[in-house]
Amino acid sequence: QKSVSGCSIQLTGKGASADLDGAYAVNRKRVLDFNYRIEYKEKNTQGNINVRGVLLDKARKAAKSTLDFLPGAAGAKGREEESVLVLSSDAVNLSAPLLLCGEDDVEGAHAASTGKLDESKLFYLMTRGFSETDAKKIILEASFNPVLQKITDESLKEQIFSYIKERLSYV
C-alpha cells in the first residue's frame, strides 16, 4: 500500500555526471513517497533528475528532489523535472523540487508540472478512430517515453512498461 524510494548521488570527480530517471503509476489508495538528491562536489559536474508519473483513484504521492551545488562545484550543471498526470479529483500530488546553491558559477534549473490529460490530444486521437479509452491509454503510455527510451535492457524496459500498463488498465 505504501512505497518509499530514495536515491542520493554524490558527484565527486571532476567532470562526473549522472542521470536519475524515474517513472510511476499509482492507483487505488496506494501511497508513493520518494526523495532523490544529487550533490555536486567537484568542478564541471553534471546531473539531472527526470521523473514521469500518473496518479489515479485515491492515490497519494510526495516527491522531494534536490540539486545541491556545494562549494567547489564551479561550472556544474543540473536540472530536475517532474511531470505528473492526475486522473482523479481524489488523487493527491505533492512535488517539492529544491535547488541549493553554495557556489557562484553553476547552472541549475527545476520544474514540476501537474495536470490532466490534454483534451486536444484526446480529441485528435478520437477523430482518428480511437475510442476514448484507447486514446487515453495511448496518451498516458506515451507520457512515459522520455524515461523508458533511456533503458537499454529490453527485458527490463518491457517489465516496467507492463507494470505501468497494468496500473492503467482500467482508465
Side-chain angles (χ1 to χ4, degrees):
Q1 290 300 315
K2 183 171 185 176
S3 296
V4 178
S5 171
C7 184
S8 180
I9 298 170
Q10 296 181 355
L11 300 175
T12 57
K14 185 176 180 180
S17 66
D19 287 315
L20 176 59
D21 295 284
Y24 60 85
V26 186
N27 64 352
R28 299 188 189 142
K29 290 184 179 181
R30 292 184 172 108
V31 176
L32 174 62
D33 186 350
F34 65 84
N35 188 352
Y36 297 153
R37 177 184 185 85
I38 299 178
E39 291 182 348
Y40 304 80
K41 293 186 167 190
E42 187 65 60
K43 291 181 179 181
N44 301 317
T45 52
Q46 184 168 338
N48 300 297
I49 300 172
N50 180 26
V51 181
R52 306 290 174 157
V54 174
L55 298 175
L56 304 111
D57 308 320
K58 294 183 179 186
R60 301 176 59 87
K61 190 268 317 172
K64 296 160 287 292
S65 56
T66 304
L67 303 182
D68 191 358
F69 296 96
L70 298 169
K77 296 179 182 179
R79 179 171 177 76
E80 58 185 322
E81 180 180 350
E82 183 187 15
S83 179
V84 185
L85 288 172
V86 180
L87 302 183
S88 166
S89 60
D90 294 325
V92 176
N93 177 56
L94 172 62
S95 297
L98 181 61
L99 192 61
L100 302 173
C101 193
E103 179 63 58
D104 291 332
D105 181 24
V106 297
E107 291 180 32
H110 60 85
S113 66
T114 303
K116 297 179 181 183
L117 284 176
D118 185 328
E119 293 295 326
S120 63
K121 289 179 185 176
L122 188 60
F123 176 76
Y124 176 81
L125 289 172
M126 290 172 64
T127 62
R128 298 304 183 261
F130 291 98
S131 69
E132 182 177 356
T133 300
D134 288 343
K136 284 180 181 180
K137 286 181 183 178
I138 289 169
I139 294 168
L140 292 171
E141 291 170 7
S143 72
F144 292 102
N145 278 345
V147 171
L148 294 176
Q149 287 178 346
K150 294 180 181 180
I151 300 172
T152 57
D153 181 324
E154 290 300 322
S155 175
L156 178 60
K157 184 188 298 188
E158 182 55 38
Q159 220 177 350
I160 293 169
F161 191 61
S162 291
Y163 177 84
I164 290 168
K165 285 172 64 171
E166 179 187 323
R167 291 285 185 256
L168 301 176
S169 66
Y170 61 95
V171 170

